[in-house]
Amino acid sequence: MSTPMIPSLPWPTDAEVLPLASVRPVLDRLASLVNIYEQDAAAIPGLAVTEEEVAADPPPALEQIADELGGVTVRGLTMLTLQIEDRTDVGPYTLLGDSTTFYPLYETPEAAVVLALDPDGTPGAVYGIGEDLALQLAAPDLGAYLVRFADALEATLVALAERGPAAEDSESARTDAAEQLMDQHLFAELLGMTELAETVEVPLQDPAASGLANLPDGALAVADLREAPVGARVDLIEVEVSGDPLETHVAWSEHGRVIAVMGG
């Protein structure tokens, strides 16, 4: 069940704030898209500019970005968020660690896209999590994910425009089309909803034999995605444990590119 939002999670405070300038071009692109296609898309205001009280508690490293952009909706459906209000440890989050080790960017009851956070709070890679709870590398960092998201958003909005004006389309049909288009252009691939013959499977290794340093104490297995391409996949359920594999959880390091599977 969902845990109630608290005023402030005990976020690590050692990470540097991700500079707004590093993502300025893609933020401007998103703003332009929602302005051009305002009948179908809208920006969620950032924490610094919203007039409403928002309970979201993003990591300190995202402060500058979250102040400017809260997310993007398409036909009222949240497709990108930096303002998650409730956190949960079930569904797609079953094998993830504490709430301060990741931040959701998109979620459904069965799937999610999350930003990995290193122990010091540094934002790292972005992963998709499907119903099988496997992790799939969506982007090496938040900026790259926002670019990938903007590409899918533009393709979706152009396709919706080609259907004709929103006033001439039924609300439900247009909303269904928007959801299907975003799946087609982005989420289906990220969340394991398509069969990709060339998917790179990154194996779980014995930590002692992996050659990796600075792994957390008690790691049962480790996957090294530092050189893995976008789309690479790690099947967390494959780890051999004496008990229930659903009682294990993930710990990230190396900007989210090294995944350690920890005991329950």
Side-chain angles (χ1 to χ4, degrees):
M1 59 182 296
S2 296
T3 54
M5 193 65 202
I6 57 178
S8 178
L9 290 169
W11 292 110
T13 57
D14 294 334
E16 295 184 4
V17 174
L18 196 64
L20 188 61
S22 67
V23 294
R24 168 55 63 199
V26 69
L27 293 187
D28 288 346
R29 181 183 174 195
L30 290 171
S32 176
L33 284 170
V34 299
N35 285 333
I36 293 170
Y37 299 98
E38 60 182 359
Q39 286 189 313
D40 291 313
I44 301 171
L47 295 174
V49 295
T50 184
E51 296 179 357
E52 301 178 3
E53 184 175 344
V54 179
D57 186 25
L62 299 186
E63 177 182 1
Q64 291 187 12
I65 297 172
D67 275 351
E68 175 149 333
L69 177 69
V72 174
T73 64
V74 181
R75 303 299 303 166
L77 303 172
T78 300
M79 297 296 179
L80 171 71
T81 181
L82 297 171
Q83 293 180 1
I84 288 291
E85 295 186 19
D86 295 313
R87 303 296 293 272
T88 179
D89 58 4
V90 297
Y93 309 114
T94 299
L95 297 181
L96 298 189
D98 293 338
S99 295
T100 54
T101 65
F102 68 95
Y103 196 65
L105 304 174
Y106 170 79
E107 62 181 6
T108 72
E110 298 82 24
V113 176
V114 302
L115 174 67
L117 301 170
D118 278 4
D120 67 352
T122 298
V126 177
Y127 289 91
I129 309 168
E131 289 185 277
D132 60 1
L133 302 183
L135 294 174
Q136 189 158 311
L137 183 61
D141 54 50
L142 178 60
Y145 179 72
L146 291 177
V147 170
R148 189 172 181 182
F149 174 82
D151 290 343
L153 178 67
E154 182 170 9
T156 294
L157 295 175
V158 168
L160 287 175
E162 290 174 351
R163 288 173 64 100
E168 298 176 6
D169 204 352
S170 76
E171 289 290 324
S172 61
R174 199 170 182 89
T175 299
D176 288 346
E179 191 168 22
Q180 291 168 11
L181 285 162
M182 285 300 295
D183 282 347
Q184 174 188 333
H185 293 297
L186 183 63
F187 296 122
E189 183 177 334
L190 296 191
L191 304 175
M193 297 159 59
T194 59
E195 293 292 335
L196 298 177
E198 298 181 0
T199 298
V200 174
E201 297 280 350
V202 178
L204 290 163
Q205 307 174 59
D206 182 320
S210 69
L212 293 167
N214 302 317
L215 294 175
D217 293 338
L220 303 175
V222 62
D224 184 358
L225 286 87
R226 289 176 298 174
E227 302 299 327
V230 168
R233 183 178 183 275
V234 180
D235 190 347
L236 301 176
I237 299 295
E238 285 192 352
V239 65
E240 295 185 6
V241 296
S242 56
D244 185 350
L246 292 179
E247 293 183 356
T248 61
H249 66 274
V250 163
W252 322 91
S253 59
E254 298 290 336
H255 297 280
R257 299 296 286 267
V258 172
I259 302 170
V261 179
M262 312 297 294

